[in-house]
Amino acid sequence: VYVPEEVKFSSPLTWTESACISGEAVYLLGAVRDSKTYEETLTLVRVPLEGGKTEALPGFHPARLEGATEYESTGGYLRPGADGTLWLTERVYISDSGSFWVLRQLDSEGNELSSFDGSGMKAYLGVESIHDLYCDGAGTIFGNADTGALLLAADGAVQGEREGGEATSPHPITTGDG
C-alpha cells in the first residue's frame, strides 16, 4: 500500500503552474511577483526531497527569441527527462503574433541544453491550435493539436499523425519503462 510522505518547504514562488520529480528533488515552475511593480518573472525552483534549502535555479531564464522584442513567457509544463534533465514546454506570447510553444531541454541547474521554437508550427501544420509539445529524449517530438496527435522530427517535419479531434487536456509523458 502506498503511503504518502509529507515534505514541508518554503518557496519564493507567488504561484506554481507545474511540477515534477527528477532524481532526489521536486522541481516547481511558477512565477515570482515583484512587490513594487507587480511584474511576474517565470522561475524554476528545486526542492530537495531529503530536506535542505529550496532554491531558484541560477541557470534558468525564460525563453529568449531571436528577433522578437515584445514577448512574454507565461508558464508551461515541466516534465522529467533522462539523466537528470528536465523538459519544459514553455508558453510564449508575442503581442502581434499570439501565443505558441517553445520546447526546451534543461539541465538540473536550469541551463538550456536544447530548444525547439514552435512559433511557426500552427501555420506549417495547418491547425488552429497546438495544446502541448513533448520530446521523448530520443529526438521525437509529440504534439497535441486541435486535429489530433502528431509525431514530429527534431526539425518539425511531420512523421505521423493520429487524427481524432481535439484533446485539450492530455499531456504526454514518458513512463518508467520508456
Side-chain angles (χ1 to χ4, degrees):
V1 175
Y2 172 75
V3 178
E5 181 179 332
E6 185 175 306
V7 176
K8 294 184 181 208
F9 65 94
S10 63
S11 170
L13 299 176
T14 305
W15 54 264
T16 302
E17 179 165 356
S18 183
C20 73
I21 295 175
S22 181
E24 298 299 316
V26 175
Y27 292 85
L28 306 169
L29 177 71
V32 173
R33 182 178 298 134
D34 184 286
S35 61
K36 294 181 175 112
T37 65
Y38 298 106
E39 288 185 24
E40 294 180 340
T41 303
L42 195 64
T43 304
L44 183 58
V45 172
R46 178 177 39 230
V47 180
L49 288 171
E50 298 298 323
K53 185 179 178 192
T54 298
E55 64 177 323
L57 297 185
F60 179 77
H61 302 283
R64 294 183 175 112
L65 304 175
E66 295 292 325
T69 56
E70 298 273 333
Y71 68 92
E72 177 183 18
S73 181
T74 61
Y77 306 112
L78 191 61
R79 299 174 181 102
D83 303 325
T85 63
L86 300 166
W87 285 99
L88 171 59
T89 309
E90 191 171 342
R91 186 175 41 256
V92 177
Y93 177 79
I94 296 179
S95 58
D96 60 351
S97 303
S99 64
F100 61 92
W101 296 107
V102 175
L103 179 61
R104 302 171 63 201
Q105 184 180 27
L106 310 172
D107 68 14
S108 62
E109 296 300 315
N111 298 297
E112 185 176 283
L113 300 172
S114 66
S115 69
F116 175 80
D117 180 346
S119 60
M121 291 303 297
K122 290 190 283 188
Y124 171 73
L125 297 170
V127 298
E128 196 165 314
S129 60
I130 296 175
H131 305 295
D132 196 4
L133 292 174
Y134 175 69
C135 185
D136 64 358
T140 302
I141 298 172
F142 300 89
N144 177 8
D146 56 3
T147 59
L150 305 163
L151 293 175
L152 309 171
D155 65 358
V158 178
Q159 293 183 322
E161 183 174 359
R162 177 169 179 142
E163 295 180 7
E166 188 169 0
T168 58
S169 60
H171 302 290
I173 61 168
T174 302
T175 58
D177 63 359

